Amino acid sequence: MRHGIGFWLQLGFTLLVSAFLMVPIGMSILAGFTENYFRGPSSGLTTRWIVEVWERYGDNIFLSLGIAASCLVVTILIGVPAAYVLAKRQSRLSRMFEELIILPVAIPGLATALALVMLYGTFGGFRSSWTFVLVGHVLYTLPFMVRSVLAVLSSIDLRTLEEGAASLGAGFWTRFWTIVLPNAGSGILAGSLMVTTLSIGEFNLTLLLTTPFTQTIPVGLAVAYTNARLELGSAYTVLFFAMIIPLLVAMQIWGNPSRTSTKRKRRALEKVVSP
Amino acid sequence: MIRKMDSSPIRLRNCSKTYGDGTIAVGPVDIEIAAGETVVILGPSGCGKTTTLRMMAGLEMPDPGGHVLFGADDVTRLPIEKRNVGMVFQSYALFPNLDVLENIAYGLRVRGIGLAERSARAREMMGMMRLEPFAERRIDQLSGGQKQRVALARALAIQPRALLLDEALTALDAKLRDTLRTEIDVLLRRLGITTVYVTHDQEEAMSLGDRIIVMDRGKIVQIGSPREIYHRPGCRFVAEFVGTMNRLPGEVRDGQFVTKSGRIPCRHLDPDCREVMFRPESVTIADPAECDLTGRVAATFFLGDRTRLVVDGIGDQPVIVESESAGEFVVDQIVHLKVRSAAVHAF
């Protein structure tokens, strides 16, 4: 196939934009594996920075993972029931609540963090524990869980499904476990991936909430870049990528509820056509 | 294998429903449905028919003072999940997370019946509804008619005391609706289950119901067999809502109803009557000598077994005539009509 000049111009532009985004990432990764960044790769490649980061900041990684996991549990426990109630009751009050929980995303993380510090700063034990960071993360990520579950629940006729189940003898909890939750599944999955990713990468809000003993990965990364060698900071970035990229890929594959449902529909269609 | 079901009579006593904002959906109604009877609640949208059905189902609680009885049991306070009714919804309400077999077995699973027994009973239902090939299909892989058959099988699998259908066939296309209607009718009669069927489609009501309850603006306006409702409408609303009705203005003089284009001999009319109504099939094409009315053909529709004529120049509105005569009619032809006087209604 022959392409005109327009095609090559477009391809060139696309590659240029990609390069603009990818080259810094590539440089960072390269720096993480280089003996001496200022002398370039000719100084030799090494994994010693990675090892050093692991030794120095390994705790941050486990803390971040722990906070992300706890954050996920809490947002599921609060967010799924909240989305269920919002989907069932379409009143002005519920719309207001829906907007209200978006606030921590809309206002700068720094402001939210300051408010938390002002309110709870004097509760010494709480202030210095990781649960203080967790509170900030839950505030920030909750709307993402609620929104994805709500989107799925709004796309099915939840009320009639529940009435159908009730007519067959199912009480509230049976309906919730056997009908509501399974049908909200794709939304919960999408929300979970989103919440985990956001929690691991959150910096704005977390910066003020952490103490030197409760540093998460992004905060540790900032500290590494400011206080230590560039190679060490870059190696830190490499580790961060290794954790976050699989999550992002998973999010692309399973995370978009509308896409999974069209895919299911397409599969269904294929089956109908050729049983 | 089809067993007769053990079903209840249903009684609504003084049941009304007022919503939070003060709108009265249903005025106080009293309805008695015998065990095994099929009753259709018919009415235009917003007439309160669905609310009435939902009160029977337990999805709406009647206003204080109203009672819902299943046989001798007062179930007014029981929520739907304790009433053991089978319900079929217009939108099917099938569970997308379960396959066909699991949908049908859901009610049995909720009742704690073991996997083997509930599968066997669900398969029996699928046999009855000719759904066997679809057992493992997901809901989104079914056609509309198949979905509605699954919904029906699911409702019947729990051996309900009554079957309640809310506009169950409305979402289907006309031909499928006809087939499924016949199928449901045969099935319900074999099962002998108390059935309440809500619809706005008068044809559906005519063909399914042992009795029809016609509702308008929250009130019952007539209860009767399909024939009664059609041939002896109790009020103007029923006359106009069910089937086609011609309206003719005029006045009563010497035992005749005099219109601008002729007179109909009618002894039973009230002297103050200013308008009469009659059905298209109560009119025949007659000789000029013995005709009641004369008009001009505005349009003709050949329907196979009969011809429908739209005749102008008789009243304010064209008169619809259904003629079984084999003769051909042309537009602008002058026709002479005779109205069967016993079939003339006035309100």
Side-chain angles (χ1 to χ4, degrees):
Chain A
M1 209 186 337
R2 286 172 143 269
H3 298 289
I5 184 145
F7 172 81
W8 296 110
L9 279 175
Q10 282 176 38
L11 182 67
F13 184 70
T14 309
L15 288 177
L16 201 68
V17 172
S18 304
F20 184 73
L21 292 170
M22 299 301 288
V23 167
I25 297 174
M27 295 295 279
S28 236
I29 293 174
L30 188 65
F33 288 106
T34 309
E35 191 71 46
N36 185 330
Y37 184 69
F38 298 100
R39 297 217 333 257
S42 58
S43 64
L45 294 175
T46 175
T47 55
R48 77 179 171 104
W49 303 120
I50 303 273
V51 175
E52 199 175 329
V53 165
W54 186 259
E55 279 165 1
R56 274 211 221 176
Y57 300 104
D59 289 348
N60 294 357
I61 292 172
F62 290 111
L63 179 69
S64 261
L65 289 178
I67 288 177
S70 317
C71 184
L72 178 58
V73 170
V74 176
T75 49
I76 286 179
L77 288 180
I78 301 176
V80 175
Y84 171 73
V85 173
L86 288 176
K88 283 277 285 255
R89 287 178 208 277
Q90 303 277 350
S91 68
R92 191 181 298 171
L93 203 69
S94 68
R95 292 287 81 81
M96 270 170 61
F97 182 75
E98 209 183 317
E99 295 307 321
L100 204 66
I101 57 170
I102 301 285
L103 270 185
V105 180
I107 60 177
L110 213 60
T112 312
L114 267 174
L116 284 173
V117 170
M118 276 157 60
L119 189 59
Y120 299 112
T122 50
F123 295 72
F126 177 47
R127 170 70 182 89
S128 55
S129 84
W130 63 275
T131 51
F132 191 54
V133 181
L134 176 64
V135 168
H137 281 203
V138 168
L139 271 180
Y140 181 68
T141 55
L142 187 61
F144 295 93
M145 178 60 81
V146 173
R147 288 248 153 176
S148 11
V149 177
L150 186 57
V152 174
L153 290 182
S154 309
S155 70
I156 55 178
D157 186 358
L158 189 63
R159 182 177 297 270
T160 315
L161 282 188
E162 274 203 74
E163 285 181 353
S167 77
L168 296 164
F172 174 76
W173 288 108
T174 314
R175 298 199 295 268
F176 192 77
W177 286 108
T178 58
I179 303 301
V180 178
L181 276 189
N183 285 305
S186 61
I188 298 175
L189 182 64
S192 299
L193 289 164
M194 195 76 157
V195 165
T196 313
T197 315
L198 286 173
S199 170
I200 291 178
E202 211 312 308
F203 177 73
N204 291 339
L205 204 151
T206 320
L207 184 64
L208 275 189
L209 299 181
T210 51
T211 66
F213 303 103
T214 58
Q215 261 176 18
T216 62
I217 303 175
V219 175
L221 183 63
V223 171
Y225 269 114
T226 42
N227 298 348
R229 295 185 58 137
L230 185 62
E231 292 85 348
L232 205 64
S234 301
Y236 202 129
T237 308
V238 172
L239 276 183
F240 184 69
F241 273 146
M243 287 176 56
I244 212 83
I245 286 179
L247 274 171
L248 290 174
V249 171
M251 210 151 83
Q252 278 303 313
I253 297 174
W254 298 296
N256 188 341
S258 65
R259 183 182 303 188
T260 35
S261 73
T262 42
K263 202 184 275 171
R264 195 192 295 159
K265 262 180 222 149
R266 200 180 317 134
R267 239 191 354 246
L269 205 67
E270 280 160 10
K271 262 196 196 167
V272 171
V273 174
S274 55
Chain B
M1 218 220 52
I2 293 174
R3 289 187 294 264
K4 279 259 177 194
M5 292 216 175
D6 186 23
S7 63
S8 295
I10 300 177
R11 232 175 112 191
L12 293 191
R13 224 167 53 200
N14 194 30
C15 281
S16 54
K17 181 72 197 173
T18 313
Y19 285 115
D21 58 356
T23 5
I24 299 169
V26 179
V29 294
D30 288 273
I31 294 175
E32 273 188 57
I33 297 164
E37 190 183 20
T38 301
V39 166
V40 177
I41 305 181
L42 173 69
S45 63
C47 72
K49 56 187 191 300
T50 294
T51 307
T52 307
L53 186 82
R54 290 170 68 89
M55 285 197 279
M56 292 178 189
L59 288 167
E60 303 282 357
M61 178 94 71
D63 294 344
H67 289 277
V68 182
L69 298 124
F70 283 6
D73 308 335
D74 188 332
V75 296
T76 317
R77 305 264 143 212
L78 281 188
I80 183 168
E81 56 262 36
K82 303 236 169 73
R83 286 197 189 182
N84 198 32
V85 291
M87 185 126 185
V88 178
F89 300 84
Q90 181 182 349
S91 59
Y92 319 117
L94 297 175
F95 310 131
N97 55 315
L98 304 176
D99 67 19
V100 169
L101 185 73
E102 290 165 337
N103 260 280
I104 296 173
Y106 183 83
L108 304 171
R109 176 176 140 202
V110 167
R111 280 165 176 70
I113 292 168
L115 181 66
E117 193 191 338
R118 70 176 189 245
S119 298
R121 273 168 67 181
R123 282 190 188 279
E124 189 185 324
M125 283 295 144
M126 290 177 56
M128 188 171 82
M129 298 306 295
R130 296 184 286 105
L131 284 165
E132 291 105 327
F134 309 110
E136 269 86 51
R137 287 265 178 109
R138 298 195 67 86
I139 297 310
D140 52 12
Q141 294 168 268
L142 300 178
S143 70
Q146 288 161 355
K147 280 184 193 166
Q148 207 50 289
R149 293 220 300 272
V150 174
L152 199 58
R154 185 179 73 174
L156 290 171
I158 58 170
Q159 300 188 314
R161 301 176 77 171
L163 183 65
L164 309 174
L165 302 105
D166 185 8
E167 302 265 6
L169 300 177
T170 307
L172 304 173
D173 65 68
K175 191 157 184 166
L176 191 58
R177 203 156 59 214
D178 269 0
T179 327
L180 208 51
R181 187 162 69 202
T182 318
E183 209 172 300
I184 290 179
D185 190 44
V186 171
L187 182 72
L188 294 182
R189 271 160 225 296
R190 277 157 74 188
L191 291 172
I193 184 171
T194 312
T195 305
V196 184
Y197 189 101
V198 161
T199 183
H200 67 269
D201 181 339
Q202 41 110 0
E203 210 179 305
E204 213 160 273
M206 292 288 161
S207 59
L208 274 180
D210 294 328
R211 276 193 307 152
I212 297 175
I213 297 173
V214 188
M215 288 187 74
D216 179 35
R217 283 174 288 177
K219 291 198 167 57
I220 294 176
V221 289
Q222 192 173 359
I223 301 181
S225 71
R227 272 165 208 286
E228 276 166 0
I229 298 279
Y230 189 82
H231 291 299
R232 291 201 298 280
C235 66
R236 189 192 179 92
F237 172 80
V238 175
E240 292 191 314
F241 188 71
V242 179
T244 310
M245 219 20 134
N246 291 305
R247 287 158 61 172
L248 203 55
E251 56 184 21
V252 178
R253 226 181 285 155
D254 312 327
Q256 291 185 315
F257 189 75
V258 182
T259 74
K260 66 178 188 189
S261 71
R263 46 187 62 208
I264 306 169
C266 276
R267 300 234 160 259
H268 62 281
L269 292 180
D270 189 85
D272 296 329
C273 171
R274 288 284 171 274
E275 187 181 60
V276 292
M277 293 179 149
F278 50 89
R279 300 220 178 263
E281 65 271 21
S282 306
V283 187
T284 46
I285 308 288
D287 291 335
E290 53 188 41
C291 80
D292 300 330
L293 308 165
T294 304
R296 191 180 53 84
V297 175
T300 71
F301 300 95
F302 179 61
L303 302 176
D305 53 342
R306 63 214 140 89
T307 305
R308 177 174 298 165
L309 303 177
V310 180
V311 183
D312 267 347
I314 297 179
D316 303 335
Q317 294 164 337
V319 168
I320 314 287
V321 177
E322 295 212 334
S323 166
E324 287 174 9
S325 108
E328 275 192 37
F329 298 93
V330 289
V331 172
D332 283 342
Q333 176 185 347
I334 301 297
V335 285
H336 306 281
L337 308 176
K338 182 157 187 63
V339 182
R340 196 150 50 81
S341 62
V344 172
H345 308 281
F347 299 101

